């Protein structure tokens, strides 16, 4: 995130009417009847119109709701990320187990090939009984190798399904993060707009009461 979400607060600056201040120390020249220190009138403060105030209040409320919504989405993202961490550990354990099985199958294959090579080389020297016994042992071992290969293929297929499911969850989490990031940037833009148009702007309290009353009536419908 490029920026940190901050709570929204409407900064109120009330100055409903211009005030006129009279200088009590003003002196009158009896000759020309002129005031040496004339009355000073303060400049009038420009107030927001009721429509402008209504817009500012709407912006503030929308920004506040969006901030809460983004926060909830961020919490959901964090929870999803933690869950994926746990699933990743399980997936990695499955990968390690599969790798071990593959290694055992490869080793068994090499051992069977070595047994066949040795049996072939020693066959002429063996008695008929020994040759038969060793050949039967070799055939049994070779036959058992097939189910080992099938078991590894099944484990790899199962692990493949888990890999795909995990990858899809990662993609979904990344997409969720992108949406949150985009929403957050738009929220900051909206908040900047509110600051430019509304922050520290003076308004009439009666206008505020009227707008609040309108909103309450609309909410009660």
């Amino acid at each position: 995130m490029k920026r940190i979400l901050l709570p929204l607060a409407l900064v109120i600056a009330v100055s409903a009417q211009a005030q006129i201040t009279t200088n009590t120390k003003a002196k009158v020249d009896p000759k020309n009847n002129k005031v040496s220190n004339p009355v000073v009138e303060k400049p009038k403060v420009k107030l927001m119109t009721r429509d402008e105030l209504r817009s500012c209040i709407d912006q503030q409320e929308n920004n506040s709701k969006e901030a809460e919504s983004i926060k909830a989405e961020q919490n959901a993202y964090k929870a999803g990320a933690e869950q994926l961490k746990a699933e990743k550990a399980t997936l990695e354990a499955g990968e390690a187990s599969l790798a071990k099985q593959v290694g055992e199958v490869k080793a068994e294959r090499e051992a069977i090939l070595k047994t066949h090579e040795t049996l072939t080389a020693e066959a002429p020297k063996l008695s008929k009984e020994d040759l038969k016994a060793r050949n039967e042992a070799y055939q049994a071992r070779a036959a058992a190798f097939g189910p080992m290969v099938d078991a590894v293929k099944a484990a790899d297929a199962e692990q493949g399904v888990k890999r795909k499911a995990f990858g899809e969850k990662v993609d979904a989490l990344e997409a969720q993060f992108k949406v949150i990031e985009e929403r957050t940037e738009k929220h900051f833009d909206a908040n900047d707009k509110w600051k430019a148009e509304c922050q520290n702007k003076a308004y009439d309290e009666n206008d505020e009461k009227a707008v609040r009353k309108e909103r309450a009536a609309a909410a009660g419908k």
Side-chain angles (χ1 to χ4, degrees):
M1 301 298 175
K2 298 180 180 178
R3 294 181 279 191
I4 301 174
L5 287 176
L6 297 175
L8 300 177
L10 183 61
V11 180
I12 301 175
V14 180
S15 179
Q17 297 179 351
Q19 300 177 0
I20 297 177
T21 303
T22 302
N23 187 344
T24 57
K25 297 182 179 181
K27 296 179 181 180
V28 179
D29 186 344
K31 294 181 179 180
N32 52 25
N33 198 32
K34 291 182 179 180
V35 180
S36 58
N37 292 309
V39 173
V40 178
E41 181 177 319
K42 291 185 177 180
K44 292 183 178 181
V45 176
K46 183 179 180 182
L47 304 179
M48 284 193 289
T49 65
R50 184 172 295 188
D51 286 340
E52 289 173 338
L53 179 59
R54 184 183 295 108
S55 175
C56 286
I57 292 176
D58 287 341
Q59 286 182 52
Q60 181 211 17
E61 183 172 301
N62 291 337
N63 288 346
S64 181
K65 288 180 179 178
E66 180 66 358
E68 290 299 319
S69 179
I70 290 174
K71 184 178 180 181
E73 192 69 17
Q74 288 174 331
N75 290 336
Y77 170 81
K78 291 177 182 177
E82 289 299 320
Q83 183 178 346
L84 274 187
K85 285 182 181 179
E87 290 187 22
K88 182 182 178 182
T90 301
L91 184 67
E92 289 176 343
E95 294 290 348
S97 178
L98 178 61
K100 182 180 179 181
Q101 282 183 272
V102 171
E104 291 172 349
V105 168
K106 287 182 177 179
E108 181 65 6
R109 178 177 180 277
E110 292 300 321
I112 291 173
L113 291 175
K114 185 66 177 177
T115 297
H116 180 269
E117 181 182 344
T118 301
L119 182 60
T120 300
E122 295 179 355
K125 303 176 184 179
L126 298 175
S127 66
K128 186 176 181 180
E129 292 76 11
D130 287 343
L131 178 61
K132 180 181 179 182
R134 290 179 63 176
N135 187 58
E136 288 177 349
Y138 165 76
Q139 293 295 337
R141 191 172 184 180
F145 181 72
M148 286 184 66
V149 173
D150 292 339
V152 170
K153 288 181 178 179
D156 182 59
E158 182 180 353
Q159 192 67 12
V161 172
K162 293 179 180 179
R163 290 189 203 105
K164 182 179 179 181
F166 181 78
E168 290 174 349
K169 289 181 180 180
V170 170
D171 291 341
L173 192 67
E174 290 178 348
Q176 184 182 13
F177 177 82
K178 185 177 181 180
V179 170
I180 293 173
E181 188 175 45
E182 291 175 352
R183 284 184 66 184
T184 301
E185 286 303 312
K186 289 180 180 178
H187 168 68
F188 282 130
D189 290 340
N191 197 36
D192 289 341
K193 180 176 181 292
W194 175 84
K195 288 180 179 179
E197 296 179 357
C198 309
Q199 192 173 36
N200 297 325
K201 297 292 180 66
Y203 59 87
D204 192 314
E205 288 182 340
N206 292 326
D207 285 339
E208 181 192 15
K209 291 177 182 178
V211 172
R212 297 291 183 187
K213 187 176 181 180
E214 288 174 4
R215 295 170 64 83
K221 288 183 180 180

